[in-house]
Coordinates of all heavy atoms in Angstrom, one line a residue:
V82 N -0.8 -11.4 26.7 CA -0.9 -11.3 28.2 C -1.2 -9.8 28.5 O -2.0 -9.5 29.4 CB 0.4 -11.8 28.9 CG1 0.4 -11.4 30.3 CG2 0.5 -13.3 28.7
N83 N -0.5 -8.9 27.9 CA -0.7 -7.5 28.1 C -2.2 -7.1 27.8 O -2.8 -6.3 28.6 CB 0.3 -6.6 27.3 CG 0.1 -5.2 27.6 OD1 -0.1 -4.8 28.7 ND2 0.3 -4.3 26.6
S84 N -2.7 -7.5 26.7 CA -4.1 -7.2 26.4 C -5.1 -7.8 27.4 O -6.1 -7.2 27.7 CB -4.4 -7.8 25.0 OG -3.7 -7.1 24.0
A85 N -4.8 -9.0 27.8 CA -5.7 -9.7 28.8 C -5.7 -8.9 30.1 O -6.7 -8.7 30.7 CB -5.2 -11.1 29.0
V86 N -4.5 -8.6 30.6 CA -4.4 -7.8 31.9 C -5.0 -6.5 31.7 O -5.8 -6.0 32.6 CB -2.9 -7.7 32.3 CG1 -2.8 -6.8 33.5 CG2 -2.4 -9.1 32.7
G87 N -4.8 -5.8 30.6 CA -5.4 -4.5 30.3 C -7.0 -4.6 30.3 O -7.7 -3.7 30.9
G88 N -7.5 -5.7 29.7 CA -9.0 -5.9 29.7 C -9.5 -6.1 31.2 O -10.6 -5.5 31.5
L89 N -8.8 -6.8 32.0 CA -9.2 -7.0 33.4 C -9.2 -5.7 34.1 O -10.0 -5.4 35.0 CB -8.3 -8.0 34.1 CG -8.6 -9.5 33.6 CD1 -7.5 -10.4 34.3 CD2 -10.0 -9.9 34.0
I90 N -8.1 -4.9 33.9 CA -8.0 -3.6 34.5 C -9.2 -2.6 34.1 O -9.8 -2.0 34.9 CB -6.7 -2.9 34.3 CG1 -5.6 -3.7 35.0 CG2 -6.6 -1.5 34.7 CD1 -4.2 -3.3 34.6
V91 N -9.5 -2.6 32.8 CA -10.6 -1.8 32.3 C -11.9 -2.2 32.9 O -12.7 -1.4 33.4 CB -10.6 -1.8 30.8 CG1 -11.9 -1.2 30.3 CG2 -9.4 -1.0 30.2
A92 N -12.1 -3.6 33.0 CA -13.3 -4.1 33.6 C -13.4 -3.7 35.1 O -14.5 -3.3 35.6 CB -13.4 -5.6 33.5
S93 N -12.3 -3.7 35.8 CA -12.3 -3.3 37.2 C -12.7 -1.8 37.3 O -13.4 -1.4 38.2 CB -11.0 -3.6 37.8 OG -10.7 -4.9 37.8
V94 N -12.1 -1.0 36.5 CA -12.3 0.4 36.5 C -13.8 0.7 36.2 O -14.4 1.5 36.9 CB -11.4 1.2 35.5 CG1 -11.9 2.6 35.3 CG2 -10.0 1.2 36.0
L95 N -14.4 0.0 35.2 CA -15.8 0.2 34.9 C -16.7 -0.3 36.0 O -17.8 0.3 36.2 CB -16.1 -0.4 33.6 CG -15.7 0.3 32.3 CD1 -16.0 -0.6 31.1 CD2 -16.3 1.6 32.2
K96 N -16.3 -1.3 36.7 CA -17.1 -1.8 37.8 C -17.1 -0.9 39.0 O -18.1 -0.7 39.6 CB -16.6 -3.2 38.2 CG -17.5 -3.8 39.3 CD -17.1 -5.3 39.6 CE -18.1 -5.8 40.6 NZ -17.8 -7.2 40.9
F97 N -16.0 -0.4 39.3 CA -15.8 0.4 40.6 C -15.8 1.9 40.4 O -15.7 2.7 41.3 CB -14.6 -0.1 41.4 CG -14.7 -1.5 41.7 CD1 -13.8 -2.4 41.2 CD2 -15.6 -1.9 42.6 CE1 -13.9 -3.8 41.6 CE2 -15.7 -3.3 43.0 CZ -14.9 -4.2 42.5
A98 N -15.7 2.4 39.2 CA -15.6 3.8 38.9 C -16.5 4.2 37.7 O -17.2 3.4 37.2 CB -14.1 4.2 38.6
D99 N -16.3 5.4 37.2 CA -17.1 5.8 36.1 C -16.2 6.2 34.9 O -15.0 6.1 35.0 CB -18.0 7.1 36.5 CG -17.2 8.2 37.0 OD1 -15.9 8.1 37.0 OD2 -17.8 9.3 37.3
S100 N -16.8 6.6 33.8 CA -16.0 6.8 32.6 C -15.0 8.0 32.7 O -14.0 8.1 32.1 CB -16.9 7.0 31.4 OG -17.7 8.1 31.6
V101 N -15.4 9.0 33.6 CA -14.5 10.1 33.8 C -13.2 9.7 34.5 O -12.1 10.0 34.0 CB -15.2 11.2 34.7 CG1 -14.2 12.3 35.0 CG2 -16.4 11.7 34.0
L102 N -13.3 8.8 35.5 CA -12.1 8.3 36.1 C -11.3 7.4 35.2 O -10.1 7.4 35.2 CB -12.4 7.5 37.4 CG -13.0 8.4 38.5 CD1 -13.4 7.6 39.7 CD2 -12.0 9.5 38.9
K103 N -12.0 6.7 34.3 CA -11.3 5.8 33.3 C -10.5 6.7 32.3 O -9.4 6.4 32.0 CB -12.3 5.0 32.5 CG -11.7 4.1 31.5 CD -12.8 3.4 30.7 CE -12.2 2.7 29.6 NZ -12.5 3.3 28.3
G104 N -11.1 7.9 32.0 CA -10.4 8.8 31.1 C -9.1 9.4 31.8 O -8.1 9.5 31.2
Y105 N -9.3 9.7 33.1 CA -8.1 10.2 33.9 C -7.1 9.1 34.0 O -5.9 9.4 33.9 CB -8.6 10.7 35.2 CG -9.2 12.0 35.2 CD1 -10.4 12.3 35.9 CD2 -8.7 13.1 34.4 CE1 -11.0 13.5 35.9 CE2 -9.4 14.3 34.4 CZ -10.5 14.5 35.1 OH -11.1 15.7 35.1
A106 N -7.5 7.9 34.2 CA -6.5 6.8 34.3 C -5.7 6.6 33.0 O -4.5 6.4 33.0 CB -7.2 5.5 34.7
T107 N -6.4 6.8 31.9 CA -5.8 6.7 30.6 C -4.8 7.8 30.4 O -3.7 7.7 29.9 CB -6.8 6.7 29.5 OG1 -7.7 5.6 29.7 CG2 -6.2 6.6 28.1
A108 N -5.2 9.0 30.8 CA -4.4 10.2 30.6 C -3.1 10.1 31.5 O -2.0 10.4 31.1 CB -5.1 11.5 31.0
V109 N -3.3 9.6 32.7 CA -2.1 9.4 33.6 C -1.2 8.3 33.0 O 0.0 8.5 33.1 CB -2.6 9.1 35.0 CG1 -1.4 8.6 35.9 CG2 -3.2 10.3 35.7
S110 N -1.8 7.3 32.4 CA -0.9 6.2 31.9 C -0.1 6.8 30.7 O 1.1 6.4 30.5 CB -1.7 5.0 31.4 OG -2.5 5.3 30.3
V111 N -0.7 7.7 29.9 CA 0.0 8.3 28.8 C 1.2 9.2 29.3 O 2.3 9.1 28.8 CB -0.9 9.1 27.9 CG1 -0.2 9.9 26.9 CG2 -1.9 8.2 27.1
V112 N 0.9 9.9 30.3 CA 1.9 10.8 30.9 C 3.0 9.9 31.5 O 4.2 10.2 31.2 CB 1.3 11.7 32.1 CG1 2.3 12.3 32.9 CG2 0.4 12.7 31.4
L113 N 2.7 8.9 32.2 CA 3.8 8.0 32.8 C 4.5 7.3 31.7 O 5.8 7.1 31.8 CB 3.1 7.0 33.8 CG 2.6 7.6 35.1 CD1 1.9 6.5 35.9 CD2 3.7 8.3 35.8
T114 N 3.9 6.9 30.7 CA 4.6 6.2 29.6 C 5.6 7.1 28.9 O 6.7 6.7 28.6 CB 3.6 5.6 28.5 OG1 2.7 4.7 29.2 CG2 4.3 5.0 27.4
G115 N 5.1 8.3 28.6 CA 6.0 9.3 28.0 C 7.2 9.7 28.9 O 8.3 9.8 28.4
T116 N 6.9 9.8 30.2 CA 8.0 10.2 31.1 C 9.0 9.1 31.3 O 10.2 9.3 31.3 CB 7.4 10.6 32.5 OG1 6.4 11.6 32.3 CG2 8.4 11.1 33.4
M117 N 8.5 7.8 31.4 CA 9.4 6.7 31.5 C 10.2 6.5 30.2 O 11.3 6.1 30.2 CB 8.6 5.4 31.9 CG 8.0 5.4 33.2 SD 9.2 5.7 34.5 CE 10.1 4.2 34.5
S118 N 9.5 6.8 29.1 CA 10.2 6.7 27.8 C 11.4 7.7 27.7 O 12.5 7.4 27.2 CB 9.3 6.9 26.7 OG 9.9 6.9 25.4
M119 N 11.1 8.9 28.3 CA 12.2 9.9 28.3 C 13.3 9.5 29.2 O 14.5 9.6 28.9 CB 11.6 11.2 28.8 CG 12.6 12.3 28.9 SD 11.8 13.9 29.5 CE 11.6 13.4 31.2
V120 N 13.0 8.9 30.4 CA 14.0 8.5 31.3 C 14.8 7.3 30.9 O 16.0 7.2 30.9 CB 13.4 8.2 32.7 CG1 14.4 7.6 33.7 CG2 12.8 9.5 33.3
L121 N 14.1 6.3 30.4 CA 14.7 5.0 30.1 C 15.4 5.0 28.7 O 16.4 4.4 28.5 CB 13.7 3.9 30.2 CG 13.2 3.6 31.5 CD1 12.1 2.5 31.5 CD2 14.3 3.1 32.5
F122 N 14.7 5.6 27.7 CA 15.2 5.5 26.3 C 15.7 6.8 25.7 O 16.1 6.8 24.6 CB 14.1 4.9 25.4 CG 13.5 3.7 25.9 CD1 12.2 3.6 26.3 CD2 14.3 2.5 26.1 CE1 11.6 2.4 26.8 CE2 13.7 1.3 26.6 CZ 12.4 1.3 26.9
G123 N 15.6 7.9 26.5 CA 16.1 9.2 26.0 C 15.3 9.8 24.9 O 15.7 10.6 24.1
T124 N 14.0 9.5 24.9 CA 13.0 10.1 24.0 C 12.9 11.6 24.3 O 12.8 12.0 25.4 CB 11.6 9.5 24.1 OG1 11.8 8.1 24.0 CG2 10.7 10.0 23.1
Q125 N 13.0 12.4 23.2 CA 12.8 13.8 23.4 C 11.4 14.2 23.4 O 10.6 13.9 22.5 CB 13.5 14.5 22.1 CG 15.0 14.4 22.0 CD 15.7 15.0 23.2 OE1 15.3 16.1 23.6 NE2 16.8 14.4 23.6
L126 N 11.0 14.8 24.5 CA 9.6 15.3 24.7 C 9.6 16.8 24.5 O 10.4 17.5 24.9 CB 9.1 15.0 26.1 CG 9.0 13.5 26.5 CD1 8.5 13.3 27.9 CD2 8.2 12.7 25.5
H127 N 8.6 17.3 23.7 CA 8.5 18.7 23.4 C 7.6 19.4 24.3 O 7.0 18.9 25.2 CB 7.9 18.8 21.9 CG 8.8 18.1 20.9 ND1 10.0 18.6 20.5 CD2 8.7 16.9 20.3 CE1 10.6 17.8 19.6 NE2 9.8 16.7 19.5
T128 N 7.6 20.7 24.2 CA 6.9 21.6 25.0 C 5.4 21.3 25.1 O 4.7 21.4 26.1 CB 7.0 23.1 24.5 OG1 8.4 23.3 24.4 CG2 6.4 24.1 25.5
V129 N 4.8 20.9 24.0 CA 3.4 20.6 23.9 C 3.1 19.4 24.8 O 2.0 19.3 25.5 CB 3.0 20.3 22.5 CG1 1.5 19.8 22.4 CG2 3.2 21.5 21.6
Y130 N 4.0 18.4 24.9 CA 3.8 17.3 25.8 C 3.8 17.7 27.2 O 2.9 17.3 28.0 CB 4.9 16.2 25.6 CG 4.6 14.9 26.2 CD1 3.8 14.0 25.6 CD2 5.1 14.6 27.5 CE1 3.5 12.8 26.2 CE2 4.8 13.4 28.1 CZ 4.0 12.5 27.4 OH 3.7 11.3 28.0
F131 N 4.7 18.6 27.6 CA 4.7 19.1 29.0 C 3.5 19.9 29.3 O 3.0 19.9 30.4 CB 6.0 19.8 29.3 CG 7.2 18.9 29.3 CD1 8.1 18.9 28.3 CD2 7.4 18.0 30.4 CE1 9.2 18.0 28.4 CE2 8.4 17.1 30.4 CZ 9.4 17.1 29.4
L132 N 3.0 20.7 28.3 CA 1.7 21.4 28.5 C 0.6 20.4 28.7 O -0.3 20.7 29.5 CB 1.5 22.3 27.4 CG 2.4 23.5 27.2 CD1 2.1 24.3 25.9 CD2 2.2 24.4 28.4
G133 N 0.6 19.3 28.0 CA -0.4 18.3 28.2 C -0.3 17.7 29.6 O -1.4 17.4 30.3
I134 N 0.9 17.5 30.1 CA 1.1 16.9 31.5 C 0.5 17.9 32.5 O -0.3 17.5 33.4 CB 2.6 16.7 31.8 CG1 3.1 15.5 31.0 CG2 2.8 16.4 33.3 CD1 4.6 15.3 31.1
I135 N 0.7 19.2 32.3 CA 0.2 20.2 33.2 C -1.4 20.2 33.1 O -2.1 20.3 34.2 CB 0.7 21.6 32.9 CG1 2.2 21.6 33.2 CG2 0.0 22.7 33.6 CD1 3.0 22.8 32.7
N136 N -1.9 20.0 31.9 CA -3.4 20.0 31.7 C -4.0 18.8 32.5 O -5.0 18.9 33.1 CB -3.7 19.9 30.2 CG -5.1 20.1 29.9 OD1 -5.9 20.5 30.8 ND2 -5.5 19.8 28.7
V137 N -3.3 17.6 32.4 CA -3.8 16.4 33.0 C -3.8 16.6 34.5 O -4.8 16.3 35.2 CB -3.0 15.2 32.6 CG1 -3.3 14.0 33.5 CG2 -3.3 14.8 31.1
I138 N -2.7 17.1 35.1 CA -2.6 17.3 36.5 C -3.6 18.3 37.0 O -4.3 18.0 38.0 CB -1.2 17.7 36.9 CG1 -0.2 16.5 36.6 CG2 -1.1 18.1 38.4 CD1 1.3 16.9 36.7
A139 N -3.8 19.4 36.3 CA -4.8 20.4 36.7 C -6.2 19.8 36.6 O -7.0 20.1 37.5 CB -4.6 21.6 35.8
S140 N -6.5 19.1 35.6 CA -7.9 18.5 35.5 C -8.2 17.5 36.6 O -9.2 17.5 37.2 CB -8.1 17.9 34.1 OG -7.3 16.8 33.9
I141 N -7.1 16.7 37.0 CA -7.3 15.8 38.1 C -7.5 16.5 39.4 O -8.4 16.2 40.2 CB -6.2 14.8 38.2 CG1 -6.2 13.8 37.0 CG2 -6.2 14.0 39.5 CD1 -5.0 13.0 36.8
L142 N -6.8 17.5 39.6 CA -6.9 18.3 40.9 C -8.3 19.0 40.9 O -8.9 19.0 42.0 CB -5.8 19.3 41.0 CG -4.4 18.8 41.3 CD1 -3.3 19.9 41.3 CD2 -4.4 18.0 42.6
L143 N -8.7 19.5 39.8 CA -10.0 20.2 39.8 C -11.2 19.2 39.9 O -12.1 19.6 40.6 CB -10.2 21.0 38.5 CG -9.3 22.3 38.3 CD1 -9.4 22.8 36.9 CD2 -9.7 23.3 39.4
Y144 N -11.0 18.1 39.3 CA -12.1 17.1 39.5 C -12.2 16.5 40.9 O -13.3 16.3 41.4 CB -11.9 15.9 38.5 CG -13.0 14.9 38.5 CD1 -14.2 15.2 37.9 CD2 -12.8 13.7 39.1 CE1 -15.2 14.2 37.9 CE2 -13.8 12.7 39.1 CZ -15.0 13.0 38.5 OH -16.0 12.1 38.5
N145 N -11.1 16.3 41.5 CA -11.1 15.7 42.8 C -11.0 16.7 44.0 O -11.1 16.3 45.1 CB -10.0 14.7 43.0 CG -10.1 13.5 42.0 OD1 -11.2 13.0 41.9 ND2 -9.1 13.1 41.3
G146 N -10.8 18.0 43.7 CA -10.7 18.9 44.7 C -11.9 19.2 45.5 O -13.0 19.5 45.0
K147 N -11.8 19.1 46.8 CA -12.9 19.4 47.7 C -12.7 20.7 48.3 O -11.6 21.0 48.8 CB -13.1 18.3 48.8 CG -13.3 16.9 48.2 CD -14.2 16.1 49.1 CE -14.4 14.7 48.6 NZ -14.2 14.3 47.3
N148 N -13.7 21.6 48.3 CA -13.5 23.0 48.8 C -12.4 23.7 48.2 O -11.7 24.5 48.8 CB -13.3 23.0 50.3 CG -14.5 22.3 51.1 OD1 -15.6 22.4 50.6 ND2 -14.2 21.7 52.2
L149 N -12.2 23.4 46.9 CA -11.1 24.1 46.1 C -11.3 25.6 46.0 O -10.4 26.3 46.0 CB -11.0 23.4 44.7 CG -9.7 23.7 44.0 CD1 -8.5 23.2 44.8 CD2 -9.8 23.0 42.6
D150 N -12.6 26.0 45.8 CA -12.9 27.4 45.7 C -12.5 28.2 47.0 O -12.0 29.3 46.9 CB -14.3 27.6 45.3 CG -15.3 27.0 46.3 OD1 -14.8 26.1 47.1 OD2 -16.4 27.4 46.4
Q151 N -12.6 27.6 48.1 CA -12.2 28.2 49.4 C -10.7 28.3 49.5 O -10.2 29.2 50.1 CB -12.9 27.5 50.6 CG -14.4 27.6 50.6 CD -15.0 26.8 51.6 OE1 -14.3 26.0 52.3 NE2 -16.3 26.9 51.8
L152 N -10.0 27.3 49.1 CA -8.6 27.2 49.2 C -7.9 28.2 48.2 O -6.9 28.8 48.6 CB -8.1 25.8 49.0 CG -8.5 24.8 50.0 CD1 -8.1 23.4 49.5 CD2 -8.0 25.1 51.4
V153 N -8.4 28.3 47.0 CA -7.8 29.2 46.0 C -8.1 30.6 46.2 O -7.3 31.5 46.1 CB -8.2 28.7 44.6 CG1 -7.7 29.6 43.6 CG2 -7.7 27.3 44.4
C154 N -9.4 30.9 46.5 CA -9.8 32.3 46.6 C -9.5 33.0 47.9 O -9.5 32.5 48.9 CB -11.3 32.4 46.3 SG -11.7 31.9 44.6

Side-chain angles (χ1 to χ4, degrees):
V82 169
N83 184 37
S84 294
V86 170
L89 289 172
I90 290 171
V91 168
S93 299
V94 167
L95 283 175
K96 182 174 182 178
F97 299 112
D99 58 0
S100 63
V101 174
L102 292 178
K103 180 180 171 257
Y105 284 136
T107 303
V109 169
S110 73
V111 168
V112 167
L113 290 176
T114 301
T116 306
M117 294 303 293
S118 176
M119 180 182 72
V120 171
L121 295 174
F122 306 119
T124 304
Q125 295 292 327
L126 301 179
H127 300 286
T128 306
V129 175
Y130 192 83
F131 289 108
L132 290 173
I134 291 174
I135 292 169
N136 190 13
V137 167
I138 292 170
S140 65
I141 290 172
L142 290 175
L143 288 172
Y144 182 75
N145 294 316
K147 301 215 182 340
N148 300 327
L149 195 61
D150 56 340
Q151 294 172 355
L152 295 173
V153 173
C154 297

